[in-house]
Amino acid sequence: MTEQRSTPLAPDRAADLRAADLTYRDVGATLTGLPSGYHHLHHDGAVGHGRERFEQCAAAVLAWQVQLRSGARVAATDDPLVEGTVADVVLGPGPLALRAPVRVVRVVDEPNRAGFVYGTLPGHPEDGEEAFLVHLDDDGTVRLAVTAFSRPGSLLTRVGGPIGRVAQRIMARRYVAAIRSLRPGVWPAT
């Protein structure tokens, strides 16, 4: 698979997203304990083995590869992302595309855990937060964990009800598969 990168977010759009408030209150709760009143999601899977693989996967996660390799398009203010990065994550073709504005609310950079958390902004179909964390276990296994809490944030997701939750579970599996697909020593391109 060829390397994919995010595109720059238009300056006017970036300013609008930076000025917007998050659509939920429990900022950072994907790292500390999922709040009540939301649907919860947790999915993780092995994506490799060893310190080098952990570092490769962590760099990929911070460069939007979870989303890009899962079929989304990303327009962002930063790549690699940093805390405060705003982005539009877009799924689907042309006029059927679903735009999901987000802000990176936490970046995790620990010896055996790395990744980020983003929260929803106005216009996102859900209200809540999603974390993408790469873990290096004691036995050397590298895992990607996707954790989220959300509730419908638009008429479409309220009407769709359980269909949205099924779609979230499918995407979580795609996210893990996307990072698993990184060829050791090949990504990022040099």
Side-chain angles (χ1 to χ4, degrees):
M1 181 175 275
T2 60
E3 183 173 345
Q4 302 173 54
R5 300 306 285 197
S6 68
T7 58
L9 191 61
D12 289 350
R13 179 69 176 156
D16 289 347
L17 293 182
R18 283 189 176 113
D21 290 330
L22 294 165
T23 60
Y24 66 102
R25 289 188 325 234
D26 302 289
V27 178
T30 52
L31 299 175
T32 59
L34 301 178
S36 61
Y38 295 89
H39 299 288
H40 298 165
L41 169 82
H42 181 80
H43 179 75
D44 73 24
V47 294
H49 191 83
R51 171 69 52 192
E52 186 175 327
R53 181 64 172 176
F54 168 77
E55 290 172 3
Q56 179 195 33
C57 292
V61 166
L62 295 174
W64 298 104
Q65 294 302 300
V66 168
Q67 291 76 18
L68 293 167
R69 289 171 174 259
S70 297
R73 296 179 305 283
V74 177
T77 56
D78 302 283
D79 186 350
L81 59 85
V82 295
E83 197 163 305
T85 293
V86 291
D88 277 325
V89 179
V90 182
L91 284 168
L96 299 177
L98 183 66
R99 183 167 67 173
V102 296
R103 176 180 298 128
V104 175
V105 297
R106 300 283 188 276
V107 172
V108 176
D109 183 13
E110 299 171 0
N112 295 326
R113 186 174 80 144
F116 73 99
V117 177
Y118 63 39
T120 58
L121 293 169
H124 195 291
E126 299 282 340
D127 290 343
E129 188 173 278
E130 194 162 20
F132 306 90
L133 296 174
V134 179
H135 299 263
L136 177 61
D137 294 341
D138 291 341
D139 68 358
T141 300
V142 179
R143 294 180 298 108
L144 175 67
V146 179
T147 304
F149 63 87
S150 63
R151 58 183 167 217
S154 71
L155 178 60
L156 176 67
T157 50
R158 281 191 289 280
V159 170
I163 295 169
R165 291 188 293 283
V166 169
Q168 283 183 316
R169 287 193 299 272
I170 290 168
M171 286 306 297
R173 287 194 294 274
R174 287 179 70 176
Y175 293 152
V176 171
I179 295 303
R180 189 179 294 127
S181 75
L182 292 170
R183 291 181 43 210
V186 174
W187 194 94
T190 54

Coordinates of all heavy atoms in Angstrom, one line a residue, residues 133-168:
L133 N -4.8 4.1 20.6 CA -3.6 3.9 21.4 C -2.9 2.6 21.0 O -3.5 1.6 21.0 CB -3.9 3.9 22.9 CG -4.5 5.2 23.5 CD1 -4.9 5.0 24.9 CD2 -3.5 6.3 23.4
V134 N -1.6 2.8 20.8 CA -0.7 1.6 20.5 C 0.0 1.3 21.9 O 0.5 2.1 22.6 CB 0.4 2.0 19.5 CG1 1.3 0.8 19.2 CG2 -0.3 2.4 18.2
H135 N -0.1 0.0 22.2 CA 0.5 -0.6 23.4 C 1.6 -1.6 23.1 O 1.4 -2.4 22.2 CB -0.6 -1.3 24.2 CG -1.7 -0.4 24.6 ND1 -1.8 0.2 25.9 CD2 -2.9 -0.1 24.0 CE1 -2.9 0.8 26.0 NE2 -3.6 0.7 24.8
L136 N 2.7 -1.5 23.9 CA 3.7 -2.5 23.8 C 3.6 -3.3 25.1 O 3.9 -2.8 26.2 CB 5.1 -1.9 23.7 CG 6.3 -2.9 23.7 CD1 6.2 -3.9 22.5 CD2 7.6 -2.2 23.6
D137 N 3.1 -4.6 25.0 CA 2.9 -5.4 26.2 C 4.2 -6.0 26.7 O 5.2 -6.0 26.0 CB 1.9 -6.6 25.9 CG 0.5 -6.1 25.6 OD1 0.2 -4.9 26.0 OD2 -0.3 -6.8 24.9
D138 N 4.2 -6.5 27.9 CA 5.4 -7.1 28.5 C 6.0 -8.2 27.7 O 7.2 -8.4 27.7 CB 5.1 -7.5 30.0 CG 4.9 -6.4 30.9 OD1 5.2 -5.2 30.6 OD2 4.3 -6.6 32.0
D139 N 5.2 -9.0 27.0 CA 5.7 -10.1 26.2 C 6.1 -9.6 24.8 O 6.5 -10.5 24.0 CB 4.6 -11.2 26.1 CG 3.4 -10.8 25.3 OD1 3.3 -9.6 24.8 OD2 2.5 -11.6 25.1
G140 N 6.1 -8.3 24.5 CA 6.5 -7.8 23.2 C 5.4 -7.6 22.2 O 5.7 -7.1 21.1
T141 N 4.2 -8.1 22.5 CA 3.1 -7.9 21.6 C 2.7 -6.4 21.5 O 2.7 -5.7 22.5 CB 1.9 -8.7 22.1 OG1 2.2 -10.1 22.2 CG2 0.7 -8.5 21.2
V142 N 2.5 -6.0 20.3 CA 2.1 -4.6 20.0 C 0.6 -4.7 19.6 O 0.2 -5.5 18.8 CB 2.9 -4.0 18.8 CG1 2.4 -2.6 18.5 CG2 4.4 -4.0 19.1
R143 N -0.2 -3.9 20.3 CA -1.6 -3.8 20.1 C -2.1 -2.4 19.8 O -1.5 -1.5 20.3 CB -2.4 -4.3 21.3 CG -2.2 -5.7 21.7 CD -2.9 -6.1 23.0 NE -2.5 -5.4 24.2 CZ -3.3 -4.4 24.7 NH1 -4.4 -4.1 24.3 NH2 -2.8 -3.7 25.8
L144 N -3.1 -2.3 18.9 CA -3.8 -1.1 18.8 C -5.1 -1.2 19.5 O -5.9 -2.1 19.2 CB -4.1 -0.7 17.3 CG -4.9 0.5 17.1 CD1 -4.2 1.8 17.6 CD2 -5.3 0.7 15.6
A145 N -5.4 -0.3 20.4 CA -6.7 -0.2 21.1 C -7.5 1.0 20.7 O -7.0 2.1 20.6 CB -6.5 -0.2 22.6
V146 N -8.8 0.8 20.3 CA -9.7 1.9 19.9 C -10.8 1.9 21.0 O -11.4 0.9 21.2 CB -10.3 1.6 18.5 CG1 -11.2 2.7 18.2 CG2 -9.2 1.5 17.5
T147 N -10.9 3.0 21.7 CA -11.9 3.2 22.8 C -12.7 4.4 22.5 O -12.1 5.5 22.1 CB -11.2 3.3 24.1 OG1 -10.3 2.1 24.3 CG2 -12.2 3.4 25.3
A148 N -14.0 4.3 22.6 CA -14.8 5.5 22.3 C -16.0 5.5 23.3 O -16.5 4.5 23.7 CB -15.3 5.5 20.9
F149 N -16.5 6.7 23.5 CA -17.9 6.9 24.0 C -18.6 7.9 23.1 O -18.0 8.9 22.7 CB -17.9 7.3 25.5 CG -17.2 8.7 25.8 CD1 -17.9 9.8 25.7 CD2 -15.9 8.7 26.1 CE1 -17.4 11.1 26.0 CE2 -15.3 10.0 26.4 CZ -16.0 11.1 26.4
S150 N -19.8 7.7 22.8 CA -20.5 8.6 21.9 C -22.0 8.4 22.1 O -22.5 7.4 22.7 CB -20.2 8.3 20.5 OG -20.6 7.0 20.1
R151 N -22.7 9.4 21.6 CA -24.2 9.4 21.5 C -24.5 10.2 20.3 O -23.7 11.0 19.8 CB -24.8 10.0 22.8 CG -24.5 11.4 23.1 CD -25.2 11.8 24.4 NE -24.6 13.0 24.9 CZ -24.4 13.3 26.2 NH1 -24.7 12.4 27.1 NH2 -23.9 14.4 26.6
P152 N -25.7 9.9 19.7 CA -26.1 10.6 18.5 C -25.9 12.1 18.6 O -26.3 12.7 19.6 CB -27.6 10.2 18.3 CG -27.7 8.9 19.0 CD -26.8 9.1 20.2
G153 N -25.4 12.7 17.6 CA -25.2 14.2 17.6 C -25.9 14.9 16.4 O -25.8 16.1 16.2
S154 N -26.6 14.1 15.6 CA -27.4 14.6 14.5 C -28.7 13.9 14.3 O -28.8 12.8 14.8 CB -26.5 14.6 13.2 OG -26.4 13.2 12.8
L155 N -29.5 14.4 13.5 CA -30.8 13.7 13.2 C -30.5 12.4 12.6 O -31.1 11.4 12.9 CB -31.7 14.6 12.3 CG -33.0 14.0 11.9 CD1 -33.9 13.7 13.1 CD2 -33.7 14.9 11.0
L156 N -29.5 12.4 11.7 CA -29.2 11.1 11.0 C -28.8 10.0 11.9 O -29.3 8.9 11.8 CB -28.0 11.4 10.0 CG -27.5 10.2 9.2 CD1 -28.6 9.7 8.3 CD2 -26.3 10.6 8.5
T157 N -28.0 10.3 12.9 CA -27.5 9.3 13.8 C -28.6 8.9 14.9 O -28.7 7.8 15.3 CB -26.2 9.6 14.5 OG1 -26.3 11.0 15.1 CG2 -25.1 9.6 13.6
R158 N -29.5 9.9 15.2 CA -30.6 9.6 16.1 C -31.6 8.6 15.4 O -32.0 7.6 16.0 CB -31.3 10.8 16.5 CG -30.6 11.6 17.6 CD -31.4 12.7 18.3 NE -31.6 13.8 17.4 CZ -30.7 14.8 17.2 NH1 -29.5 14.7 17.8 NH2 -30.9 15.8 16.4
V159 N -31.9 8.9 14.1 CA -32.8 8.1 13.4 C -32.2 6.7 13.1 O -32.8 5.7 13.1 CB -33.2 8.8 12.1 CG1 -34.0 7.8 11.1 CG2 -34.1 10.0 12.4
G160 N -30.9 6.7 12.8 CA -30.2 5.5 12.5 C -30.0 4.5 13.6 O -29.9 3.3 13.5
G161 N -30.0 5.1 14.9 CA -29.9 4.3 16.1 C -28.9 3.2 16.1 O -27.7 3.5 15.9
P162 N -29.2 1.9 16.1 CA -28.3 0.9 16.2 C -27.4 0.7 15.0 O -26.3 0.2 15.1 CB -29.1 -0.4 16.4 CG -30.5 0.0 16.4 CD -30.6 1.5 16.2
I163 N -27.8 1.2 13.9 CA -27.0 1.1 12.7 C -25.7 1.9 12.9 O -24.6 1.4 12.4 CB -27.7 1.7 11.4 CG1 -28.9 0.8 11.1 CG2 -26.8 1.8 10.2 CD1 -29.9 1.3 10.1
G164 N -25.7 3.0 13.5 CA -24.5 3.8 13.8 C -23.6 3.1 14.7 O -22.3 3.1 14.5
R165 N -24.1 2.4 15.7 CA -23.2 1.6 16.6 C -22.5 0.4 15.9 O -21.4 0.1 16.1 CB -24.0 1.1 17.8 CG -24.3 2.3 18.7 CD -24.9 1.9 20.0 NE -26.2 1.3 19.9 CZ -27.4 1.9 19.7 NH1 -27.4 3.2 19.5 NH2 -28.5 1.3 19.7
V166 N -23.3 -0.2 15.0 CA -22.7 -1.3 14.1 C -21.6 -0.7 13.3 O -20.5 -1.3 13.1 CB -23.8 -2.0 13.3 CG1 -23.2 -2.9 12.2 CG2 -24.8 -2.7 14.2
A167 N -21.9 0.4 12.7 CA -20.9 1.1 11.8 C -19.6 1.4 12.6 O -18.5 1.2 12.1 CB -21.4 2.3 11.2
Q168 N -19.8 1.9 13.9 CA -18.6 2.2 14.7 C -17.8 0.9 15.0 O -16.6 0.9 15.0 CB -19.0 2.8 16.0 CG -19.4 4.2 15.9 CD -19.8 4.8 17.3 OE1 -20.5 4.2 18.1 NE2 -19.3 6.0 17.6

